Every structure is written in C-alpha cells, then in structure tokens.
C-alpha cells in the first residue's frame, strides 16, 4: 500500500483528480499544518491505494472535483467549512456562525478542553496530604494548544 | 494475543507514574496515589515509594486506542477479551481499580 502521498500544486488539483478517472474516491479531508491547510484525497481501485495532497494557504481556495468524483461533494463541504478554506462555490450549510473560527483549525480552542480539569495535572504520589512531591515542570495536556491560554 | 475487549489493570505492577493518565487523548483515566517511606535495614536513607490508591477508567469516554497500554513502562495495563461490562447507567461506566483488576 502506497502511504506517501503525491503532492500536487493547488492549481493542478483538478488535473490530478481527472487523472484518477476509473478510481473510487474513498476519502477527502484536511490537516492543519499551522502554516497551511493540507487537503488530502485517498483513491482506491481494486486492491490499489493512492493518496493525493495539496497545500492550500489559510485564505486560499481550491477548485471542486465533485463533478469528476461525485463522492467528493460532501467531503469538500465538510473540509471547507470545518477548516475554513474555500473549495468550489459551495454555499455554507454546516456553520452559520461565521464570527467564530473554523472548528478544526488548531488555533480554535475546544471549550470542553479548557473547562475540564486535566486528570494528568496531578504529580505521582501527590494526594494533597503530607509527603507530596514538589511540583516540577508544567506538562501540557494532549490536544491543548499553547495559544488557548489555560 | 487476547481480543481487544477491555483494558485491564494489574495494580501490583503500577508505580503511579502518571504516564498513561497524561498520554490518554480522551482524558478518561484518573489516578490517585500517595507516598510512603520504606525502611530497609541495609539502606543508608529511607526510600520513598508511590502507593496506588485508586485507578479509574471512564468507559464512557475511552475510545480503546490502547495508547495507555503502549506507554506503560511496567506493563501494568493490558487488553483482556470477552468481558461484558454493559451497565444501565452512565456513571457505572466509570470502572474502578477493583473491577479493572478482576477482569479476565
């Protein structure tokens, strides 16, 4: 199975999808890389797997491939609205509160992660009574970004 | 290898190091411990050890990723298969140390 995605320029995204004619689009999603949004697509043909990836700037746009691969329609909408990149000419459907930040961006705080006390904050052997270990460096909970300012 | 049914605890092997609690992406493990001094006749100074008081996995939050099992340096956590732990209330999914140790 090919795990390394073939990276294409955003302008060539449609051409790369066109070249995958006869393949089935299995997955289209994105990753916030803190510099750009990486949009990835996974195609299947029989037992073959193929990955295509492109880096879209935060304020960038990507052409839709849903006319070539109809399975992309919903995934494009989801990726576009959740990550805040424009894909095609879609009318927003999932998020109406455009004053808030896209939920899947790393800079967007997850309220539950800010409000819930992290169970890992306790030190080994620290039960709040006598003999507790002195608190050493502060560890950051997994999934909590530095800019959320706990 | 047993089925990936539930995550069980072997309390004797746990050193309360907190690694599993800190690595858990679902924040579903809580651990309480305290320190005790052990005096050994041949030791120059008394040693301090962590004693495990309570260890809980909230199976309402756990996503069975197994990261806690991977990070445990003492293999105090392991997969156990074929356990029926369904409950009638949400709070009962918070499984304590005695239950986690008895699974098998």
């Amino acid at each position: 199975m090919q795990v390394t995605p073939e990276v294409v320029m955003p302008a060539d995204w449609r051409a790369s999808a066109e070249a995958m004619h006869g393949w089935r689009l299995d997955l289209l999603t994105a990753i916030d890389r803190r510099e750009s949004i990486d949009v990835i697509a996974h195609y299947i043909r029989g037992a073959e797997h193929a990955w295509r990836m492109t880096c879209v700037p935060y304020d960038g746009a990507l052409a839709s491939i849903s006319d070539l691969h109809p399975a992309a329609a919903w995934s494009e909408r989801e990726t576009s609205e959740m990550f805040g990149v424009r894909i095609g000419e879609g009318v927003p459907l999932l998020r109406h509160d455009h004053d808030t930040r896209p939920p899947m961006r790393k800079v967007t705080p997850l309220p539950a992660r800010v409000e819930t006390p992290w169970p890992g904050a306790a030190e080994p052997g620290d039960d709040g009574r006598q003999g507790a270990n002195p608190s050493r460096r502060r560890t950051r909970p997994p999934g909590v970004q530095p800019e959320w300012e706990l | 290898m047993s089925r990936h049914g539930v995550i069980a605890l072997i309390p004797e092997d746990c050193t309360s190091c907190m690694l599993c609690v800190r690595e858990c992406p679902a924040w579903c493990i809580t651990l309480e411990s305290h320190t005790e001094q052990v005096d050994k006749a041949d030791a120059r100074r008394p040693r301090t050890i962590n004693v495990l008081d309570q260890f809980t996995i909230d199976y309402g939050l756990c996503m069975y990723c197994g990261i806690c099992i991977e990070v445990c340096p003492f293999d105090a956590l392991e997969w156990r298969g074929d356990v029926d732990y369904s409950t009638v209330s949400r709070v009962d999914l918070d499984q304590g140390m005695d239950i986690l140790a008895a699974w098998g």
Side-chain angles (χ1 to χ4, degrees):
Chain A
M1 180 175 167
Q2 184 199 346
V3 278
T4 315
E6 192 184 303
V7 183
V8 300
M9 297 301 288
D12 300 330
W13 186 244
R14 263 190 74 84
S16 86
E18 220 156 354
M20 300 309 284
H21 183 75
W23 289 66
R24 181 165 69 83
L25 182 85
D26 171 58
L27 170 81
L28 190 143
T29 186
I31 305 161
D32 182 358
R33 294 285 188 202
R34 287 192 172 276
E35 290 166 353
S36 61
I37 303 284
D38 285 3
V39 177
I40 53 167
H42 180 228
Y43 297 90
I44 297 175
R45 189 176 64 184
E48 292 177 279
H49 296 259
W51 294 89
R52 297 289 179 269
M53 191 182 94
T54 187
C55 307
V56 187
Y58 278 135
D59 52 355
L62 198 63
S64 171
I65 58 166
S66 61
D67 55 323
L68 304 165
H69 296 276
W74 179 258
S75 304
E76 281 181 348
R77 178 189 292 284
E78 208 173 20
T79 305
S80 155
E81 294 190 45
M82 294 299 160
F83 285 88
V85 286
R86 274 186 297 122
I87 303 180
E89 304 293 320
V91 180
L93 175 72
L94 302 170
R95 290 175 55 232
H96 299 283
D97 49 343
H98 288 285
D99 299 333
T100 60
R101 287 183 275 197
M104 292 302 278
R105 290 259 184 107
K106 289 223 163 83
V107 293
T108 309
L110 297 170
R113 279 286 142 111
V114 179
E115 287 156 15
T116 313
W118 182 45
E123 292 292 333
D126 181 3
D127 60 354
R129 289 178 300 192
Q130 42 78 35
N133 289 341
S135 186
R136 290 180 294 268
R137 71 189 168 87
R138 306 293 298 164
T139 30
R140 193 183 302 285
V144 171
Q145 305 300 325
E147 60 264 44
W148 296 357
E149 284 175 15
L150 292 177
Chain B
M1 189 174 154
S2 67
R3 281 177 51 201
H4 286 196
V6 289
I7 294 157
L9 174 76
I10 304 153
E12 310 85 77
D13 293 344
C14 176
T15 64
S16 315
C17 70
M18 298 291 289
L19 280 181
C20 54
V21 182
R22 290 180 176 160
E23 293 298 321
C24 175
W27 297 16
C28 74
I29 306 175
T30 50
L31 190 155
E32 288 166 34
S33 60
H34 69 276
T35 50
E36 266 176 24
Q37 288 201 341
V38 270
D39 297 306
K40 264 183 155 182
D42 55 338
R44 273 186 284 179
R45 285 179 295 158
R47 276 182 62 227
T48 308
I49 55 157
N50 297 325
V51 181
L52 181 66
D53 294 321
Q54 186 53 275
F55 187 102
T56 319
I57 297 180
D58 186 345
Y59 276 100
L61 296 175
C62 177
M63 54 183 191
Y64 307 88
C65 64
I67 289 175
C68 53
I69 296 172
E70 288 285 310
V71 297
C72 181
F74 304 99
D75 292 339
L77 290 164
E78 66 178 21
W79 290 113
R80 298 245 176 100
D82 282 336
V83 178
D84 180 12
Y85 58 107
S86 55
T87 64
V88 288
S89 82
R90 166 71 182 84
V91 286
D92 290 340
L93 286 171
D94 227 354
Q95 312 277 20
M97 192 160 80
D98 44 340
I99 302 170
L100 296 176
W103 271 341

